[in-house]
Amino acid sequence: MEKQLSLPRLRPEMTSGVLCAWLKAEGETVRAGEPVYEIETDKVVNQIEATEGGVLKKLLREEGDEVAAGEAVAILETE
Amino acid sequence: MERKPEWLKVRYNQEAVDEVAKLLGELKLNTVCKEANCPNLGECYRKHTATFMILGSECTRNCRFCNVTPGKPLPPDPEEPENVALAAKKLGLRHVVLTCPTRDDLPDGGAAHFAKTVGAIRASCPGVTVETLISDMKMNTSALDVVIAAHPEVLNHNVETVRELQKAVRPQADYQRSLDVLRYCKGKDPTLLTKTGFMVGLGETEEQIGRLLDDVLAVGCDILTIGQYLQPSPEHYPLARYATPEDFARYKEMALAKGFRHVASAPLARSSYKAWEALEGVHDLH
């Protein structure tokens, strides 16, 4: 089943963050709990973990993009 | 925005955060983790730990480093002490840290509410230790006496920064008053473990840090936390520098050499981060 990976709202007033790095490539398998990408916010760089496993089918955003909270960054084909 | 150094990376798992946030939301509880936009929230919530912010989420002061919303707080929630105890039980906490926004609007600064909350935790969670991270309560000794009488294992009050930066960083507070709070509490009950913390990266010098360590030690403080200041937004006090992990290791050496019993010094060390380990570390020295 295809699922969108969306940027979580890391704090209530957060509107967006900068996607600074993909830690997994398109086509790569991801396990639940593994970090998939990094988002830079005002204070730190957050490594966002997958909440379920699957194959990273498509990356929708590139490194350096500013992404709105809640916006999809990738499509995961779940197991 | 200046690029963050490698050592300022944290993990975030939405499911783990949602689980703890849901429980806290159902009990109408605030955490300083969320209100202060703490970078360790993801890690702590995953481990089912949280620092409760009792007495509301709005602060009567407006410190320039802090993300807690300034405003007019509501009266204390009478159900909050029991709800904190219930949450502590559900989360399986072995050490509960309680903090608050500064409540200059309340005659006792919220001391009685602190004492009730400590009492509720004692009644529902036997064996659980409690740490109260209090405001200066305007150095009102009768208010401080109420907190001391509740006998938390650790009484924490942060000096936040060196003497020279106090006016700029926390204009409604006072370095000497914070030292007086720590001295008074230790003097009143020497069995209390006292704790304080400060940030680096606000523009302080190493000499100023050395003097802060001496000042805090002179008021009998047992436990110290040192962490990196992280600017919550462009409107907050400007960041002067990122101290390196080697800097933090040096500060720790300095503090231990001067005589502190336990020092947590790391870029992401926070006042309540791994607070149980600090208490355990000091008890090992008994």
Side-chain angles (χ1 to χ4, degrees), chain B residues 10 17 43 70 72 78 85 89 92 97 103 106 111 139 148 151-153 166 173 187 189 199 237-238 249 253 274:
Chain B
V10 295
V17 170
E43 181 189 337
K72 270 195 157 179
K89 199 169 189 173
V97 185
R103 293 294 305 253
L106 299 174
M139 190 50 204
I148 295 164
H151 201 76
E153 275 73 15
Q166 293 281 323
D189 182 354
M199 302 167 281
Y237 194 83
E253 286 304 310
K274 295 188 178 174

Side-chain angles (χ1 to χ4, degrees), chain B residues 13-27 29 31 33-34 41-52 87 90-91 93:
Chain B
N13 188 297
Q14 189 65 55
E15 262 183 9
V17 170
D18 286 347
E19 188 192 341
V20 175
K22 183 167 174 282
L23 167 69
L24 298 171
E26 284 166 0
L27 293 171
L29 296 175
T31 61
C33 327
K34 177 164 161 267
L41 181 145
E43 181 189 337
C44 291
Y45 277 22
R46 181 212 284 279
K47 291 182 183 165
H48 273 203
T49 64
T51 294
F52 299 102
K90 284 190 172 180
L91 289 168
L93 302 182

Side-chain angles (χ1 to χ4, degrees), chain A residues 23-24 29-37 48-51, chain B residues 11 13:
Chain A
L23 304 174
K24 293 279 176 183
T29 301
V30 176
R31 286 187 314 240
E34 271 190 312
V36 182
Y37 59 98
I48 310 296
E49 296 178 4
T51 52
Chain B
R11 299 277 283 260
N13 188 297

Side-chain angles (χ1 to χ4, degrees), chain A residues 12-76:
Chain A
E13 63 269 39
M14 171 181 159
T15 54
S16 66
V18 176
L19 197 163
C20 40
W22 278 108
L23 304 174
K24 293 279 176 183
E26 217 168 77
E28 223 177 314
T29 301
V30 176
R31 286 187 314 240
E34 271 190 312
V36 182
Y37 59 98
E38 293 184 344
I39 288 283
E40 185 163 356
T41 51
D42 281 317
K43 287 190 169 183
V44 287
V45 172
N46 304 270
Q47 297 189 319
I48 310 296
E49 296 178 4
T51 52
E52 59 187 313
V55 174
L56 208 50
K57 194 170 176 186
K58 189 162 178 56
L59 306 186
L60 302 173
R61 304 302 299 262
E62 292 177 8
E63 291 179 359
D65 282 0
E66 182 155 351
V67 183
E71 199 180 333
V73 294
I75 293 173
L76 184 78

Side-chain angles (χ1 to χ4, degrees), chain B residues 161-162 165 199-206 208-209 240-241 251:
Chain B
T161 182
V162 296
L165 292 175
M199 302 167 281
V200 294
L202 290 154
E204 66 293 319
T205 67
E206 197 122 339
Q208 291 168 346
I209 290 176
R241 70 177 170 126
Y251 303 146

